[in-house]
Amino acid sequence: MAKAIIFDIEKAQLLNKLFNIIMIQHKLIKLLIFCIVVFTHQAIFAQYTITGRITDAKNGDPLPFASVGLKGLNVGAQTNFDGVYTIKTKFLSDSIYVSTVNYKKKSKAINKTVTAQTIDFQMQAEAKSLDEVVVYSGENPAFKILRRLRENAEKNDRKRLTAFEYDSYSKMELDVDNISDKFKEKKIMKQIQGAIEKFEKIAGEDGKAVIPTFISETLSKFYFRETPNRKKEVVLKNNIKGVGVKEGSFISQLVGGNIFANYNFYDNFVPFLGKDIISPVGNNWKGTYAWYISDTTDVDGHICYGMEFDPKNDKDLVFVGKAYIDTTSYALVQIDATIGKQANINFIDKIKISQELEKTEEGAWLPAKTRFLIDIAEISKNSAGMLLKMYISNKNFVINQPRDLPFYDIPVEVAEDSKEPDPNFWLNARHESLSAQDILAAKLIDTVRNVPIVKTYVEIAEIIASGYKRFGNKFAVGPYINLFAVNSEEGLRTRFGFKTLAGFDKKWILKGWLGFGTKDLVFKYGGEMDYILSRRHWTVAGIKHSYDLERIGLTPELIGDNKIFYAFTRWGRFTGAYYRRESEIFLKTEPTKGISFNIAFTTRNFDPLFNFQFRTQPELGPKSPSLDGYDDSFITVEARYAKNETFLMDGNERISLGAKRIPVISIVYQHGMKGVLGSNFNYQRITAKIYQSFRVGSFGRSDYTVQAGYIPSELPAPLLFPHLGNQTLFYNRAAFNTMHFFEFVSDKFVSLNYNHNFEGLLFNRIPAIRQLKWRLIASANVLFGSQRQDNLDLMKEAIPVINPRRTFDKDGNPIIRPRYNFSALEPNIPYVEVGYGIDNIFKIFRLQAFHRLTYLDHKAPNGDLPQSFALKASVHFSF
């Protein structure tokens, strides 16, 4: 009985344990079921977010229009204008990839344990093959879209607006890139090694470091008027930091951006760096580019065709890239256009222009965002390159409310209180937040520019570029090109000059120079004092005086702005030399944009060192008295018309950016005043000049200069029109390059100088030399001129003048000097020369041959035979 009770108790305890085990398992099962339900719910309803930025690995430039997708899934996105993408999905794959035009496809692993992550890509460029042939059964479907774009261009193009204005924010950065390991070993780079390491870290695992040398932010207002064509940018605020940059008005005018980067792809050509690049959506879209449709997508609410374009010849001045065209209005909504180093442009690895446009209430589209990049190639393998990047954001558009014409007189105007370094101001003012690299760049520029060796390099570069050594912002010494010369009259000639800068005074400008020759032992000198009456209408009054040795037919007023050519004419055999003492008082003004006047009173004398005389009473023939020099006082009135010419102010100097495509016309009238300050002559002198540069479609660019002059008065030959010859080895665009100095003189003439640059039209299509980027050039110079018999008789033999200073040397020995033969052209036989050659040899040399076609038997003034053939060279830097 006892055993039975004990067994029942043990059985009960065992059953109880089994029950407890069952209950625990039940709870575990319930918990497991709960967890399964929870995780299943999360798996079904979870939202994963992946964001990132796609950039060029070499230069950090954002890549718009890049396709981003999850491998193995039909899930993806496209980067926006700033290269940013966002993917939201319920399902993840193992990796994410990026694909875009002209870059290698790339992928990265995805972390599946987090719901939000950032994955950036630095993309490596890849040359795109242009050898593929796409065959369509019928017409390429892209052609229909592009024809519709051109048909609707008139209503979509901003040119339909009478005026527009907007608020603008721009950011500019200049960097050193392509920093090789050998270049890092240079002394200058070792001193900024810390900066390099920081930028290598922020560039990303595949990116290359760039070292910032300049960065700026600018707030401005931009104004445009269509008829007449005017534009203006008012810089309101800016913050500028740079190595070797002297903050001031000139730099502030450059960083605004809109005055230079207002690109319009509806035009047939997009101007950039002085080049005319064929627009992919201009009228020549079919003859120059290969097009195809890549996709259709939503761009800021506009359903657009994605269109890719390639050049048919990548050596031409053409783009490659992608454009988005609205499917309803056929307007250009976005474009990303790149020029590679294959194109016939010097010193450039890449040019890239990206633009996003916004539709206005009138239907026309205006640029809302623009980004451009210039990747300047390194000169050698052991050097570094440069990278210029600019971003412009525009908003608050106001259309069809043109301002009065005087409002546009100053194209770029900087507010008095424009400098704004306060970072708190820019936090709210800028349209887009700065990237981490932008913030670091601004901090490191101060470090880089304070390195002593950097300061030295910057100073040397400034002297080479400007010709002057500056001392602060008050004085400058130079120009160095005139420091010395060696010639037959002066021996070793030295000259030292100076000028004051805006820091000295913003109204007064002082200039002066002193020269001396070791052979003639004569001091030469010059001085000038100017006063700026108005900057808005650029009105300057001044007075100047000089005493110098000049050459007949090679005076500064005849040569013009070609200071290098003028400096070289002071070397070697110095024929036709004379001393000239000159005084002048003048007034220059521009009362309205594009029209300027110059009024001056001048007195000068002519004191030749060669055998020279002219008849004072030519009616007496050989019995006429004569003079071997003269005094001349005259008034000059010059009117100049240059529509759309743009100027920038550099301190107290005004710098012209040229007048594109519009002829520049000038007319000069001079009136000689006999008896005033001993002047020997009364006369009238009229000259006119027209200059224009223009594009000849795809055949390149031409420029011409037409000049004409007339003197109805009787004057000695040096006061007539001496035609500019060229006996130097250097090419001069304004000269007759097979003509001797002062070989021909006219009292009435008309001339044409025509030059054409075929760019790469011919050499780009020759396989053996297309990589050299040579450019074929051609020119023709024609001159019609003559002299009246009265002026010819004036220069004939007369009673000689006995001038002890010119007839005998210091030891009393007679001096025999040749007499010049001042020849005239035959009225019905023009002087003609033609030229041809190659430009862009080794990117800096120009070599041009000239053939003289007429006056082959004519002798120069000194008796030399004519140059029937001449080979001229020049060195110039151009893109």
Side-chain angles (χ1 to χ4, degrees):
M1 185 69 177
K3 291 181 178 180
I5 294 173
I6 292 172
F7 175 78
D8 289 340
I9 293 173
E10 290 177 350
K11 186 177 181 180
Q13 289 175 343
L14 179 60
L15 291 173
N16 187 53
K17 288 179 180 181
L18 289 173
F19 178 78
N20 289 335
I21 291 172
I22 292 172
M23 292 302 294
I24 291 173
Q25 290 178 338
H26 178 67
K27 290 179 179 180
L28 289 172
I29 292 170
K30 289 175 65 177
L31 179 61
L32 180 61
I33 293 172
F34 175 77
C35 291
I36 290 172
V37 171
V38 170
F39 283 114
T40 302
H41 181 272
Q42 287 185 339
I44 295 173
F45 298 101
Q47 183 78 12
Y48 296 94
T49 302
I50 305 174
T51 61
R53 198 164 188 248
I54 314 302
T55 57
D56 187 306
K58 182 180 177 183
N59 52 50
D61 193 49
L63 300 179
F65 314 132
S67 298
V68 186
L70 301 184
K71 190 174 182 179
L73 298 176
N74 189 22
V75 176
Q78 189 175 66
T79 57
N80 63 12
F81 188 80
D82 300 307
V84 176
Y85 74 92
T86 300
I87 294 178
K88 294 184 177 181
T89 178
K90 296 177 182 178
F91 304 98
L92 285 182
S93 65
D94 295 329
S95 60
I96 183 172
Y97 68 88
V98 177
S99 176
T100 187
V101 178
N102 292 333
Y103 288 86
K104 298 177 182 178
K105 188 175 180 180
K106 190 172 184 180
S107 62
K108 287 186 177 183
I110 295 175
N111 185 351
K112 293 185 176 182
T113 63
V114 295
T115 57
Q117 56 190 300
T118 299
I119 303 178
D120 296 330
F121 285 84
Q122 295 83 34
M123 305 294 289
Q124 300 286 344
E126 180 180 44
K128 185 171 182 177
S129 174
L130 300 178
D131 298 328
E132 299 176 359
V133 177
V134 181
V135 179
Y136 297 95
S137 57
E139 186 184 47
N140 183 343
F143 291 179
K144 179 180 178 181
I145 298 170
L146 289 161
R147 277 198 297 268
R148 295 294 299 272
L149 180 144
R150 293 307 309 174
E151 291 169 0
N152 289 273
E154 186 175 345
K155 68 179 182 181
N156 293 321
D157 191 350
R158 71 192 73 170
K159 290 179 181 177
R160 67 169 294 183
L161 303 174
T162 58
F164 57 82
E165 58 188 71
Y166 49 73
D167 299 327
S168 184
Y169 165 82
S170 60
K171 179 179 64 179
M172 182 184 291
E173 183 177 335
L174 181 64
D175 306 316
V176 176
D177 72 340
N178 290 343
I179 306 169
S180 65
D181 292 336
K182 192 165 185 178
F183 189 71
K184 290 179 184 179
E185 297 301 315
K186 293 182 179 292
K187 185 177 179 181
I188 185 173
M189 297 306 293
K190 286 184 177 180
Q191 295 188 34
I192 57 174
Q193 188 62 39
I196 297 176
E197 292 173 356
K198 291 180 181 179
F199 271 92
E200 284 177 341
K201 182 177 180 180
I202 200 170
E205 73 279 12
D206 300 311
K208 294 184 179 181
V210 295
I211 303 300
T213 61
F214 175 91
I215 190 168
S216 70
E217 292 184 273
T218 302
L219 287 175
S220 61
K221 287 278 292 186
F222 181 74
Y223 306 86
F224 180 85
R225 174 175 176 146
E226 178 61 33
T227 307
N229 189 280
R230 295 285 190 272
K231 54 186 176 181
K232 179 185 181 75
E233 187 162 18
V234 179
V235 177
L236 304 174
K237 295 289 182 182
N238 60 46
N239 185 25
I240 301 170
K241 288 186 177 183
V243 177
V245 174
K246 294 176 174 61
E247 295 183 10
S249 176
F250 183 68
I251 295 297
S252 298
Q253 294 168 84
L254 293 176
V255 298
N258 280 279
I259 202 74
F260 308 107
N262 207 301
Y263 307 113
N264 188 348
F265 282 88
Y266 284 107
D267 292 337
N268 292 330
F269 297 93
V270 180
F272 201 93
L273 297 177
K275 300 291 185 180
D276 294 313
I277 306 167
I278 302 172
S279 172
V281 295
N283 284 321
N284 200 24
W285 58 267
K286 189 174 182 179
T288 308
Y289 291 94
W291 283 88
Y292 55 93
I293 302 174
S294 59
D295 54 29
T296 303
T297 189
D298 186 318
V299 180
D300 291 336
H302 301 278
I303 305 302
C304 296
Y305 297 110
M307 310 274 288
E308 293 187 21
F309 52 89
D310 289 320
K312 292 184 176 180
N313 187 334
D314 61 351
K315 295 294 185 295
D316 290 337
L317 296 179
V318 287
F319 295 104
V320 59
K322 194 169 185 178
Y324 281 90
I325 300 169
D326 185 62
T327 56
T328 303
S329 64
Y330 290 92
L332 182 66
V333 178
Q334 284 194 25
I335 188 167
D336 186 62
T338 300
I339 304 173
K341 59 183 178 182
Q342 298 87 357
N344 199 325
I345 302 180
N346 292 330
F347 314 113
I348 298 296
D349 270 347
K350 177 188 287 187
I351 296 173
K352 182 179 177 182
I353 304 174
S354 300
Q355 192 176 73
E356 179 183 280
L357 296 101
E358 182 177 315
K359 188 176 183 179
T360 65
E361 58 188 27
E362 290 293 320
W365 295 65
L366 289 173
K369 293 180 180 179
T370 301
R371 180 182 285 108
F372 74 83
L373 174 146
I374 308 174
D375 192 351
I376 304 172
E378 58 271 28
I379 298 175
S380 67
K381 293 181 179 180
N382 297 325
S383 63
M386 299 292 291
L387 191 66
L388 176 65
K389 296 186 286 187
M390 191 165 192
Y391 169 74
I392 304 169
S393 173
N394 307 318
K395 62 182 182 180
N396 300 329
F397 296 103
V398 178
I399 60 174
N400 294 339
Q401 296 184 24
R403 306 287 180 123
D404 295 334
L405 282 177
F407 173 80
Y408 303 91
D409 282 346
I410 302 180
V412 183
E413 196 168 357
V414 182
E416 290 290 337
D417 58 344
S418 63
K419 186 176 180 180
E420 182 54 74
D422 184 3
N424 293 323
F425 170 85
W426 292 102
L427 283 174
N428 299 318
R430 65 176 63 101
H431 294 187
E432 307 286 345
S433 299
L434 294 180
S435 67
Q437 188 164 346
D438 293 332
I439 296 171
L440 181 58
K443 292 179 180 179
L444 292 183
I445 281 177
D446 289 332
T447 302
V448 174
R449 66 181 174 184
N450 289 324
V451 174
I453 194 170
V454 173
K455 291 183 177 180
T456 301
Y457 281 9
V458 167
E459 188 171 317
I460 293 172
E462 184 179 56
I463 292 173
I464 294 173
S466 68
Y468 285 86
K469 169 68 174 73
R470 290 177 176 247
F471 295 90
N473 194 31
K474 294 186 177 182
F475 295 95
V477 175
Y480 64 83
I481 196 172
N482 293 328
L483 281 178
F484 68 94
V486 178
N487 61 66
S488 58
E489 289 291 343
E490 297 174 288
L492 174 61
R493 170 192 170 99
T494 56
R495 172 178 152 162
F496 299 91
F498 81 95
K499 65 179 179 179
T500 61
L501 305 175
F504 175 81
D505 194 279
K506 292 186 177 181
K507 292 287 187 179
W508 290 100
I509 306 170
L510 305 178
K511 302 177 183 178
W513 61 270
L514 179 66
F516 182 76
T518 59
K519 184 177 180 180
D520 65 352
L521 302 178
V522 175
F523 280 100
K524 295 90 177 176
Y525 54 85
E528 182 175 348
M529 181 171 60
D530 302 340
Y531 183 77
I532 301 175
L533 297 168
S534 171
R535 291 178 181 268
R536 175 170 290 277
H537 295 290
W538 191 242
T539 303
V540 180
I543 185 170
K544 56 185 178 181
H545 176 77
S546 64
Y547 180 68
D548 202 0
L549 185 69
E550 298 287 0
R551 298 183 69 178
I552 193 167
L554 290 169
T555 56
E557 57 268 19
L558 181 62
I559 293 175
D561 293 333
N562 196 333
K563 295 181 175 61
I564 296 177
F565 179 76
Y566 178 68
F568 277 113
T569 63
R570 289 196 168 274
W571 289 75
R573 185 182 175 190
F574 210 77
T575 56
Y578 69 95
Y579 287 102
R580 181 170 78 174
R581 191 182 308 275
E582 179 180 61
S583 300
E584 180 175 291
I585 183 171
F586 63 87
L587 174 69
K588 301 177 182 179
T589 185
E590 187 181 46
T592 186
K593 182 175 173 60
I595 299 177
S596 59
F597 296 96
N598 180 17
I599 303 171
F601 171 75
T602 308
T603 181
R604 62 176 63 153
N605 70 344
F606 181 77
D607 186 10
L609 297 180
F610 56 91
N611 187 357
F612 170 83
Q613 65 179 28
F614 66 95
R615 297 175 178 179
T616 57
Q617 294 177 272
E619 66 276 6
L620 300 178
K623 297 182 180 181
S624 170
S626 65
L627 289 175
D628 64 348
Y630 57 78
D631 293 299
D632 179 26
S633 297
F634 57 93
I635 292 176
T636 302
V637 178
E638 178 181 5
R640 183 174 181 272
Y641 174 74
K643 182 181 178 182
N644 296 336
E645 185 174 19
T646 300
F647 292 91
L648 296 183
M649 290 299 303
D650 184 10
N652 288 339
E653 296 182 358
R654 198 167 73 144
I655 300 173
S656 173
L657 300 181
K660 299 177 181 178
R661 299 180 178 86
I662 305 298
V664 177
I665 304 171
S666 61
I667 300 175
V668 180
Y669 170 76
Q670 290 181 334
H671 177 72
M673 306 170 70
K674 186 175 182 179
V676 177
L677 299 177
S679 178
N680 296 103
F681 312 105
N682 273 324
Y683 61 87
Q684 318 289 325
R685 195 172 192 266
I686 303 171
T687 56
K689 178 179 178 180
I690 303 175
Y691 170 81
Q692 184 182 11
S693 173
F694 61 95
R695 169 158 281 281
V696 188
S698 59
F699 290 94
R701 175 166 287 276
S702 289
D703 66 77
Y704 67 85
T705 302
V706 176
Q707 297 186 78
Y710 177 63
I711 298 175
S713 311
E714 296 179 13
L715 292 173
L719 286 176
L720 300 179
F721 297 112
H723 303 295
L724 183 61
N726 182 8
Q727 291 177 246
T728 72
L729 298 175
F730 301 97
Y731 167 73
N732 185 348
R733 182 184 295 267
F736 294 91
N737 287 279
T738 57
M739 186 185 291
H740 283 262
F741 297 141
F742 215 82
E743 183 176 350
F744 292 103
V745 182
S746 303
D747 56 31
K748 58 178 176 290
F749 80 95
V750 60
S751 67
L752 168 67
N753 297 79
Y754 183 85
N755 300 277
H756 184 78
N757 193 324
F758 289 91
E759 300 288 351
L761 182 68
L762 174 63
F763 292 129
N764 284 356
R765 286 152 179 81
I766 302 177
I769 62 174
R770 60 186 300 184
Q771 303 299 330
L772 299 175
K773 298 186 178 180
W774 286 355
R775 300 163 188 170
L776 178 65
I777 50 178
S779 61
N781 299 323
V782 181
L783 168 65
F784 284 90
S786 66
Q787 280 192 58
R788 296 189 313 280
Q789 190 61 44
D790 290 343
N791 284 324
L792 292 172
D793 292 342
L794 201 67
M795 299 303 300
K796 291 182 177 180
E797 294 288 344
I799 300 173
V801 177
I802 304 300
N803 187 326
R805 185 176 66 80
R806 295 198 187 93
T807 308
F808 304 96
D809 63 18
K810 61 183 180 180
D811 297 324
N813 300 315
I815 300 173
I816 300 176
R817 294 183 181 271
R819 178 177 173 82
Y820 264 70
N821 177 28
F822 298 107
S823 299
L825 291 157
E826 295 292 332
N828 299 321
I829 302 177
Y831 180 94
V832 181
E833 67 179 20
V834 295
Y836 52 87
I838 299 174
D839 193 14
N840 210 44
I841 301 172
F842 300 118
K843 300 183 179 180
I844 60 173
F845 293 107
R846 174 188 181 122
L847 189 64
Q848 189 162 358
F850 288 92
H851 294 273
R852 179 167 169 163
L853 303 183
T854 57
Y855 296 92
L856 298 179
D857 298 326
H858 186 269
K859 290 187 177 181
N862 60 2
D864 290 345
L865 294 174
Q867 302 178 86
S868 60
F869 174 81
L871 194 63
K872 305 292 182 180
S874 63
V875 177
H876 66 110
F877 292 90
S878 68
F879 290 105

